[in-house]
């Protein structure tokens, strides 16, 4: 049946698997996507949303490189918001509510249009090795399928256990069985594994809720979109979300179930996500807080299903029911599904290289929650990179590795393989030391040239990026060269409570004032005429304004990044023997031997490796 030796097999059809299969096949690799249920490709297992703080930047980076997540999000969105607009542009983060059913359908439709991609519904129960190289997979039907590369994107399915109160049963997601066999085969050949947990809140019937008792949360007045491509459009109509609050009464009712909670009675010992805790965890950790926000999020345009964001729980179903009924607007709530916690296997990501290939077994790649991450966006980014690198390796091309100053994706992967993680890893803007450079608005300028060179981003996309850069540079040059007279600008300055000028001044200096925005600057006839003559759109205006107002910060970060890249260029020989370097601390020797960094810069980011250890290494490397 499967006589073909595939170039790449992708195990799992979630967000990581979908991006991995798409990028691999689009780069010319004959790819097979194996998943337990073809109806659940790219299923939104938890909240029906993409993006958010730092996650939105990742989705835009995936799009700029030629991935699909942003396009699917735009095509199936029901609401769009740009978060953190009150802060600086490095903090702005796009987020969209999606139609859950249409999201999965759109992903499948797009994947089915890729020529080099085959599909097969079955459960992978084993891996086939030839020495220290993977050569294929085994399925529950006893079929062996051979491949040059295998990418495992198993999500929460590896030996998954679902917990609701004192009930426990196997499963990788509600209504779906766990995956047994992959962990066991990996451990046999020497991999270290661990357990993590995550959770999900109840889903309820919108017809049973009283939205008049809640606070409406509409989308942006002028919604943007995720993808830089012209294939998608901004939303014309949006669905509102709503907000309510828990109370002391709700908390007291929840506490009555703590003795039956798997989190508190010891049945769950694995670590859950720090930044997305369950409701019982929140009221236990923040005992003095009298209420917590509950976000009421519709699952789509036409469905009555509601996602109760902020009420993630594994408490007994009777306790969930009693407590949620005391939340304003939920008095007559009808449950479609109770919240639950899920435990699953993961593999500490320090066992990977920057390409996401495992160090122990050649041609084997891990992407997504198997690496200890949480979130669709982090998973999709890893899938994209694993798919790219698997395809490039088959073609004997150089690996594709993003640096920390190039992309949030670079920060994500470097953090995972250099520092590892003992709790579900979530991306934040604070994790990126060059976040002024890594903004959501310039992901196309940063990464589309790289995606185009790879063969993932189209020429049309590349042309649009070049036009965007050209027009931004032109606008900045105009502001630098053009002077404005006091009589023309002073009324605008006075209107915005900023100091007037007494003699002509360059527009660049005026526009850099924090009290002014570019809507104010465009009140000048010369500026508006330039904008109209050169067809400067909103996106170019935003780029120019950021460049003008944050030029000093951007230049400073570029200089810091250049210094970092000097250390990135100092490579460390593979399988370097750190025991020879007696001047290193014992901890540094142990950590460096385990992680095997490929550059001095990566070595400097390993916990336990001090600046003096790095100095010793630099001397030893002949610096």
């Amino acid at each position: 049946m499967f006589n073909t030796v595939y170039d790449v097999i992708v195990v799992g059809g979630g967000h990581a698997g979908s991006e991995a299969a798409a990028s691999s096949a689009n780069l010319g690799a004959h790819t097979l996507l194996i998943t337990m249920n073809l109806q659940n490709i790219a299923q939104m297992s938890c909240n029906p949303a993409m993006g958010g703080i730092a996650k939105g930047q990742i989705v835009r980076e995936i799009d700029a490189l030629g991935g699909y997540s942003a396009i699917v999000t735009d095509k199936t969105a029901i609401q769009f918001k740009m978060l953190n607009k009150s802060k600086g542009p490095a903090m702005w983060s796009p987020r969209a509510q999606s139609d859950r059913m249409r999201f999965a359908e759109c992903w499948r439709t797009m994947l089915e249009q890729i020529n080099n991609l085959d599909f097969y519904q079955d459960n992978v129960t084993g891996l086939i090795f030839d020495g220290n190289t993977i050569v294929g997979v085994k399925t529950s039907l006893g079929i062996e399928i051979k491949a040059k590369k295998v990418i495992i994107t198993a999500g929460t399915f590896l030996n998954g256990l679902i917990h609701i109160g004192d009930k426990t049963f196997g499963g990788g997601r509600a209504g779906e069985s766990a995956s047994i066999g992959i962990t066991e085969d990996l451990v046999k050949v020497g991999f270290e594994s661990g357990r993590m947990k995550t959770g999900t809140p109840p889903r309820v019937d919108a017809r049973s809720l009283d939205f008049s008792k809640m606070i409406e949360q509409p989308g942006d007045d002028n919604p943007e979109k995720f993808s830089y491509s012209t294939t998608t459009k901004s939303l014309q109509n949006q669905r509102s979300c709503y907000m309510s609050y828990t109370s002391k009464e709700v908390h007291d009712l929840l506490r009555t179930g703590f003795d039956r909670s798997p989190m508190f009675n010891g049945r769950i010992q694995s670590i859950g996500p720090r930044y997305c805790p369950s409701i019982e965890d929140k009221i236990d950790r923040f005992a003095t807080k009298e209420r917590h926000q509950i976000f009421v999020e519709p699952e789509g345009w036409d469905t009555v299903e509601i996602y109760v964001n902020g009420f993630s729980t594994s408490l007994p179903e009777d306790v969930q029911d009693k407590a949620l009924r005391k939340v304003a607007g939920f008095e007559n709530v009808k449950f479609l599904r109770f919240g639950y916690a899920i435990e699953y296997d993961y593999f500490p990501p320090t066992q990977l290289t920057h390409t996401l290939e495992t160090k122990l077994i050649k041609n084997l790649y891990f992407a997504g929650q198997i690496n200890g991450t949480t979130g669709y966006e982090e998973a999709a980014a890893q899938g994209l990179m694993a798919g790219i690198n698997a395809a490039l390796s088959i073609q004997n091309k150089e690996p594709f590795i993003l640096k920390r100053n190039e992309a949030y994706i670079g920060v994500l992967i470097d953090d995972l393989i250099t520092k590892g993680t003992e709790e579900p890893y979530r991306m934040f803007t604070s994790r990126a030391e060059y976040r002024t450079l890594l903004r959501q608005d310039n992901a196309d300028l940063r990464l589309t040239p790289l995606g185009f060179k790879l063969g993932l981003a189209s020429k049309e996309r590349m042309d649009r990026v070049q036009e965007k850069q050209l027009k931004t540079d032109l606008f900045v040059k105009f502001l630098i060269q053009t002077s404005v007279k006091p009589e023309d600008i002073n009324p605008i300055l006075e209107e915005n409570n900023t100091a007037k000028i007494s003699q002509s001044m360059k527009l660049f200096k005026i526009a850099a004032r924090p009290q002014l925005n570019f809507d104010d600057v465009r009140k000048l006839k010369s500026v508006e005429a330039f904008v109209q003559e050169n067809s400067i759109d909103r996106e170019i205006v935003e780029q120019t304004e950021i460049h003008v107002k944050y030029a000093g910060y951007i230049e400073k970060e570029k200089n810091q990044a250049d210094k970092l890249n000097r250390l990135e260029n100092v490579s460390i020989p593979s399988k370097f023997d750190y025991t020879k370097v007696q001047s290193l601390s014992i901890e540094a020797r142990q950590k460096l031997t385990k992680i095997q960094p490929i550059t001095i810069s990566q070595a400097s980011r390993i916990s336990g490796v001090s600046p003096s250890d790095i100095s010793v290494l630099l001397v030893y490397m002949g610096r």
Side-chain angles (χ1 to χ4, degrees):
M1 181 183 173
F2 288 99
N3 295 323
T4 304
V5 176
Y6 280 94
D7 289 326
V8 177
I9 288 176
V10 177
V11 180
H15 299 266
S18 296
E19 287 287 6
S23 59
S24 167
N26 280 328
L27 288 179
H30 189 194
T31 304
L32 176 66
L33 175 60
I34 306 179
T35 183
M36 288 182 180
N37 189 341
L38 288 170
Q39 306 308 314
N40 293 337
I41 283 176
Q43 178 73 269
M44 292 179 133
S45 305
C46 202
N47 62 320
M50 288 289 280
I53 307 301
K55 291 169 177 279
Q57 282 86 329
I58 289 176
V59 177
R60 286 218 157 147
E61 289 178 352
I62 291 169
D63 182 70
L65 287 167
Y68 288 4
S69 290
I71 293 173
V72 174
T73 301
D74 285 345
K75 286 184 174 182
T76 61
I78 64 174
Q79 188 193 88
F80 185 95
K81 274 189 174 183
M82 186 66 75
L83 306 179
N84 282 342
K85 280 293 275 188
S86 61
K87 299 180 181 178
M91 305 297 285
W92 298 352
S93 299
R95 184 182 190 270
Q97 291 288 131
S98 291
D99 185 307
R100 182 192 298 278
M101 290 183 286
R102 292 180 185 178
F103 185 93
E105 179 190 29
C106 185
W107 249 115
R108 178 166 174 173
T109 303
M110 291 187 72
L111 287 172
E112 288 180 354
Q113 293 169 9
I114 302 174
N115 290 329
N116 288 317
L117 182 56
D118 293 344
F119 303 88
Y120 178 53
Q121 180 171 299
D122 203 346
N123 186 2
V124 172
T125 55
L127 306 173
I128 307 169
F129 302 105
D130 180 5
N132 68 339
T133 303
I134 194 162
V135 294
V137 301
K138 300 172 192 172
T139 76
S140 59
L141 291 178
I143 297 170
E144 293 190 357
I145 312 172
K146 298 297 177 66
K148 297 173 186 174
K149 310 279 179 183
V150 174
I151 304 172
I152 300 179
T153 67
T156 60
F157 281 75
L158 296 180
N159 293 318
L161 269 181
I162 291 175
H163 300 269
I164 302 178
D166 46 18
K167 302 176 180 70
T168 300
F169 47 94
R173 184 164 51 205
E176 295 181 62
S177 61
S179 174
I180 312 295
I182 292 176
T183 294
E184 291 73 11
D185 279 2
L186 289 170
V187 170
K188 275 180 198 170
V189 295
F191 281 96
E192 176 193 349
S193 72
R195 295 284 277 176
M196 281 188 176
K197 90 158 187 76
T198 188
T200 194
R203 311 306 198 273
V204 302
D205 190 329
R207 297 169 299 181
S208 66
L209 305 183
D210 185 351
F211 291 100
S212 68
K213 294 182 178 179
M214 304 179 198
I215 304 162
E216 188 173 5
Q217 303 277 296
D220 287 348
D221 291 336
N222 297 300
E224 297 180 39
K225 62 191 188 81
F226 262 109
S227 179
Y228 293 101
S229 74
T230 54
T231 58
T232 62
K233 296 179 180 178
S234 298
L235 282 169
Q236 298 304 305
N237 301 305
Q238 300 185 73
R239 277 202 73 174
S240 287
C241 297
Y242 291 83
M243 187 170 70
S244 191
Y245 288 93
T246 62
S247 63
K248 186 177 182 301
E249 185 180 13
V250 173
H251 297 180
D252 289 341
L253 281 168
L254 289 168
R255 286 190 184 96
T256 65
F258 277 14
D259 60 331
R260 290 188 286 154
S261 165
M263 276 186 54
F264 294 113
N265 64 18
R267 276 194 300 116
I268 294 181
Q269 300 203 341
S270 46
I271 300 171
R274 178 187 300 265
Y275 301 103
C276 189
S278 65
I279 186 65
E280 56 264 38
D281 197 20
K282 281 193 277 193
I283 64 174
D284 182 57
R285 281 164 51 189
F286 308 107
T288 58
K289 200 165 184 182
E290 292 190 355
R291 66 177 191 168
H292 294 282
Q293 290 175 326
I294 300 292
F295 294 99
V296 183
E297 300 178 347
E299 295 264 9
W301 286 114
D302 305 314
T303 181
V304 298
E305 190 168 354
I306 293 287
Y307 179 87
V308 190
N309 196 341
F311 207 83
S312 177
T313 181
S314 59
L315 286 166
E317 60 272 27
D318 59 313
V319 177
Q320 293 186 37
D321 182 71
K322 287 175 187 172
L324 194 55
R325 287 180 185 278
K326 296 300 180 181
V327 174
F330 285 81
E331 292 83 0
N332 299 304
V333 66
K334 291 181 181 177
F335 281 74
L336 299 181
R337 144 161 57 124
F338 289 103
Y340 63 87
I342 182 165
E343 282 189 287
Y344 56 94
D345 293 336
Y346 85 105
F347 289 80
T350 50
Q351 300 172 101
L352 304 175
T353 68
H354 273 87
T355 62
L356 298 180
E357 183 178 13
T358 67
K359 296 172 184 174
L360 200 58
I361 298 293
K362 289 179 183 175
N363 302 332
L364 176 62
Y365 298 74
F366 293 166
Q369 285 178 283
I370 191 173
N371 290 334
T373 58
T374 180
Y376 311 141
E377 303 82 2
E378 292 89 341
Q382 293 169 70
L384 176 79
M385 297 298 283
I388 289 171
N389 280 304
L392 291 177
S393 180
I394 287 165
Q395 298 159 11
N396 295 313
K397 292 181 179 177
E398 286 294 309
F400 181 64
I401 297 169
L402 291 168
K403 296 173 184 171
R404 294 181 73 89
N405 65 305
E406 290 179 315
Y408 272 90
I409 297 173
V411 175
L412 166 67
I413 293 174
D414 187 67
D415 274 357
L416 290 175
I417 70 163
T418 302
K419 300 172 183 174
T421 185
E422 293 179 354
E423 61 184 48
Y425 178 102
R426 179 177 177 175
M427 179 53 71
F428 286 103
T429 49
S430 58
R431 295 193 192 273
E433 57 269 51
Y434 303 111
R435 53 188 170 274
T436 307
L437 301 179
L438 309 182
R439 306 184 309 275
Q440 55 82 31
D441 61 89
N442 70 354
D444 55 341
L445 299 176
R446 289 184 279 119
L447 299 177
T448 296
L450 300 178
F452 178 69
K453 187 177 178 182
L454 281 170
L456 283 180
S458 66
K459 185 176 186 304
E460 180 202 356
R461 285 211 176 197
M462 190 62 207
D463 290 344
R464 290 188 71 242
V465 164
Q466 288 174 331
E467 182 185 17
K468 179 178 176 179
Q469 187 66 67
L470 190 71
K471 287 189 174 182
T472 302
D473 292 344
L474 191 68
F475 199 177
V476 170
K477 186 178 179 182
F478 168 79
L479 295 171
I480 289 171
Q481 293 179 343
T482 305
S483 295
V484 61
K485 295 177 181 176
E487 58 266 31
D488 294 329
I489 192 65
N490 277 343
I492 298 169
L493 299 179
E494 195 169 13
E495 190 180 311
N496 288 278
N497 298 315
T498 182
K500 294 189 284 186
I501 60 174
S502 56
Q503 57 188 29
S504 292
M505 187 178 285
K506 296 294 183 188
L507 270 173
F508 187 95
K509 200 167 182 182
I510 293 286
R513 292 190 181 187
Q515 296 89 349
L516 299 179
N517 60 45
F518 265 43
D519 287 337
D520 299 315
V521 177
R522 286 179 65 175
K523 291 175 183 176
L524 293 167
K525 289 180 182 178
S526 58
V527 176
E528 188 57 28
F530 176 86
V531 167
Q532 297 302 327
E533 285 168 18
N534 292 280
S535 303
I536 304 292
D537 61 21
R538 184 177 72 171
E539 192 177 15
I540 307 299
V541 171
E542 183 181 85
Q543 277 297 296
T544 305
E545 182 167 13
I546 290 168
H547 179 91
V548 170
K549 291 188 180 296
Y550 297 90
Y553 298 102
I554 292 169
E555 193 59 35
K556 185 179 178 181
E557 280 200 1
K558 280 182 179 175
N559 291 335
Q560 289 174 340
D562 287 342
K563 290 177 185 175
L564 171 79
N565 285 336
R566 287 176 209 149
L567 291 181
E568 289 285 4
N569 293 329
V570 184
S571 59
I572 300 172
S574 61
K575 296 182 180 176
F576 180 77
D577 187 358
Y578 292 97
T579 60
K580 291 180 181 175
V581 190
Q582 293 299 315
S583 301
L584 288 173
S585 68
I586 293 172
E587 183 181 5
R589 261 181 263 158
Q590 290 171 344
K591 296 282 182 67
L592 291 164
T593 299
K594 180 181 178 182
I595 293 170
Q596 287 291 315
I598 56 174
T599 67
I600 292 290
S601 181
Q602 187 196 347
S604 71
R605 294 189 291 273
I606 296 172
S607 174
V609 177
S610 68
S612 62
D613 291 320
I614 295 302
S615 298
V616 168
L617 280 178
L618 282 170
V619 171
Y620 201 87
M621 297 296 162
R623 287 294 295 269

